[in-house]
Structure formats: structure tokens, C-alpha cells
Amino acid sequence: MQELEDILIQSDMGMNIVLKISNNIEKKFSKGWPTEKINDFLVEQLMSFYDDPKSKENKINLYKKKLSPILVVGVNGVGKTTSIAKIANFYKEKNYKVLLVAGDTFRAGAVEQLSLWAERLEIEIIKPDKEQQDPASVVYKGLEYGKNNNFDIVLIDTAGRLQNKVNLMKELEKINNIIVKVTNDKPAETLLVIDAITGQNGVIQAETFSEISKISGIVLTKMDGTAKGGVVLAIRDKLNIPVKFIGTGEKLSDISIFDIEEYVYNLTKDLFEPDIQGENDGN
């Protein structure tokens, strides 16, 4: 049990979930430890923390026959701009007409970086007319352009600073009001980008952004590294926010819609060695 707890802790799912799972396993298998059954029970437990994988809220929400604004938030350095480019490419390949809006008008190089991605993807982008322009005015311009030119999706980049939460809260509130004003609806999605390698710090980021804006889903980047991404379950357990996309590499195509069953399989497939199973089976 100690070894199992250590493995689960190292996956960054947090002590709260680890202790719940550990206690449940000890209760279930107090009279014996058949490894294969423990593994199956562990999978059931992990799935239960994520609730129904077929739930509508776990799927990407796009409006039918009208513009779908997707607001993307996150601290600087987590791969927010690259994730926006990957999501844009994901939908472009599915024949959606996608527009980028450079709403991060404060970070030096943010507009230029997103512009380079737009050029590479051969999709249009709405940029500020001057340095440190009010982001809401850029978003307004982008939404009007998107609506008048029959775009399906508008991906909106936002500032990633958390030093002054009040200012960021007001900025995002203003942007949300602009979205409602132009489209008569709230954003189709508000996605928070989190780096899987940051572990439990990702939970803190999710908590902070949840205080600032209504987050509908997570984009988890760098799932290609050594990180197991247990933060997926930690955020779901604490804040009830589902993961919508995972980034699995550096290429534009290295992004996919999150699949909880595949995730749990990858998390548990190497937990028990065959020789240990053989010993427990009496072989």
C-alpha cells in the first residue's frame, strides 16, 4: 500500500485523492491482496473521481449555426499561445473557419507570437492597432469581424498576469460583457491552460482563475514528458472542472480531446509488474 500511495502521489493527483483511494482499497481487500483485482478496483476509483466520462460538460461546447467565441486564459509560460495555435489547427483540419484574436496586449511579444502562428496556419488574426490597447476593444473588433464574415470559431488570447487579480478580473469581466453584447451569448468555452509538469501548482492556478472567471475546461500541456498528469483528477475533485484538451508534444498536431478512459489506462498500466502478479496468483 505504501508503494502504491507513493506512485499515486508522484503522479500529482494530490494527498486528498490518494488517501481516499488508499482507504477504499484497504477496506475492500482487507482479507487478501489479489493484485489484478486491486488494479481493476483502482481503475474504478479513478474513474469515479472524474464522474461520468460521457457527460456533456466533458465535451467541447460549440454553438450550432452561430459564432463560437472561445476565451483562453492562463499564466505566462504554460504554453497558452501555442495551445491556441494547436486548437486553431485542430478545428481548421475539421473544416471550421477559425479566427484568432490577439487579446494579450500587455505582454511584450504576445501579439507577434500569435501573428506568426496565424501566418503559419494561414488563418486570419485580429490585432491591436497600438501598444497596450484595451483588450476589450480588440475583442470587440474581432467578434464583429468574425460575425460579419461567417467564421465558426473565434479563439481569444488573454493576458496571463496574476500579480493584480482585481485588474485581471475586471478585464475578463469586460471581455465577457463584450462577448455577450456582440453574440447575445456567453463564451462557448473559457479554457484555462495548465502545464502538467507544474503538478499541484496547477491546482492553485485553477483555484485562482476560478475566482476571477467562470472556467469551463482545462487545456493540459506537456503531457508528453515524465509528468503523469494526476493534476487532472485533483482539479476535478477540488473544483469540478473537466479537462477538455491535452497537449502531447511540440507539433501543431500534438493535441487531442481528453479521454478519461485512455488517461486512466495510461496512469495504471505499469503499476504492477508481471512477476508480482505471478507471486500473488500463487504461481
Side-chain angles (χ1 to χ4, degrees):
M1 279 307 302
Q2 184 60 56
E3 185 181 355
L4 177 60
E5 286 179 2
D6 289 343
I7 291 168
L8 296 178
I9 289 168
Q10 287 166 17
S11 77
D12 287 324
M13 65 179 62
M15 281 303 299
N16 186 43
I17 293 179
V18 172
L19 291 176
K20 283 181 184 176
I21 289 173
S22 176
N23 290 335
N24 289 343
I25 288 176
E26 287 189 333
K27 287 177 187 175
K28 177 81 172 176
F29 299 100
S30 58
K31 295 180 180 179
W33 299 89
T35 307
E36 188 173 320
K37 289 186 178 180
I38 291 174
N39 199 35
D40 290 342
F41 185 70
L42 175 61
V43 169
E44 289 175 16
Q45 290 288 295
L46 293 174
M47 290 289 288
S48 72
F49 278 106
Y50 206 82
D51 296 326
D52 181 8
K54 296 178 182 177
S55 170
K56 286 184 179 179
E57 70 164 0
N58 295 335
K59 296 177 172 60
I60 307 297
N61 180 44
L62 294 177
Y63 297 134
K64 292 181 179 179
K65 298 180 180 179
K66 63 182 265 188
L67 189 67
S68 295
I70 297 178
L71 200 57
V72 186
V73 301
V75 298
N76 292 329
V78 294
K80 180 161 58 74
T81 310
T82 306
S83 294
I84 291 171
K86 287 181 177 181
I87 294 169
N89 183 63
F90 179 87
Y91 283 113
K92 183 190 174 187
E93 290 187 342
K94 294 182 183 297
N95 297 317
Y96 286 87
K97 190 176 180 183
V98 183
L99 176 68
L100 299 184
V101 175
D104 184 356
T105 61
F106 291 92
R107 181 172 70 87
V111 175
E112 182 182 356
Q113 188 182 2
L114 198 62
S115 297
L116 288 172
W117 279 118
E119 185 179 337
R120 182 175 168 185
L121 288 164
E122 296 181 335
I123 59 179
E124 292 188 72
I125 182 171
I126 300 299
K127 299 182 285 187
D129 301 316
K130 57 185 179 182
E131 288 186 9
Q132 298 200 354
Q133 184 177 337
D134 179 11
S137 67
V138 183
V139 172
Y140 180 82
K141 180 181 174 184
L143 291 170
E144 285 284 358
Y145 185 82
K147 191 169 74 168
N148 294 332
N149 291 276
N150 299 315
F151 280 85
D152 300 305
I153 297 169
V154 175
L155 281 163
I156 304 166
D157 191 14
T158 61
R161 62 198 188 285
L162 273 180
Q163 294 86 344
N164 190 325
K165 286 199 291 184
V166 175
N167 282 357
L168 188 55
M169 187 183 295
K170 287 179 179 176
E171 184 178 302
L172 291 175
E173 186 179 350
K174 195 173 178 181
I175 289 172
N176 273 286
N177 289 339
I178 290 292
I179 291 172
V180 172
K181 182 179 179 180
V182 176
T183 67
N184 293 318
D185 216 330
K186 63 182 181 179
E189 293 279 1
T190 299
L191 302 176
L192 171 63
V193 181
I194 291 177
D195 184 336
I197 297 172
T198 62
Q200 287 300 296
N201 190 41
V203 181
I204 296 169
Q205 289 174 29
E207 281 184 298
T208 305
F209 272 97
S210 292
E211 294 169 4
I212 294 171
S213 185
K214 175 70 175 174
I215 305 298
S216 62
I218 303 291
V219 180
L220 201 62
T221 66
K222 300 180 185 174
M223 282 290 281
D224 54 319
T226 55
K228 291 279 189 177
V231 69
V232 166
L233 297 172
I235 292 172
R236 183 67 161 170
D237 180 55
K238 194 161 190 177
L239 300 166
N240 200 31
I241 303 173
V243 173
K244 301 278 179 122
F245 284 104
I246 57 168
T248 54
E250 295 181 2
K251 293 185 292 186
L252 273 171
S253 57
D254 290 336
I255 193 167
S256 59
I257 291 176
F258 179 68
D259 183 327
I260 182 61
E261 293 179 359
E262 183 181 347
Y263 163 80
V264 169
Y265 169 75
N266 289 331
L267 195 65
T268 58
K269 65 180 179 179
D270 298 322
L271 283 182
F272 300 100
E273 297 294 332
D275 60 324
I276 296 176
Q277 286 186 14
E279 289 174 13
N280 286 340
D281 290 340
N283 297 328

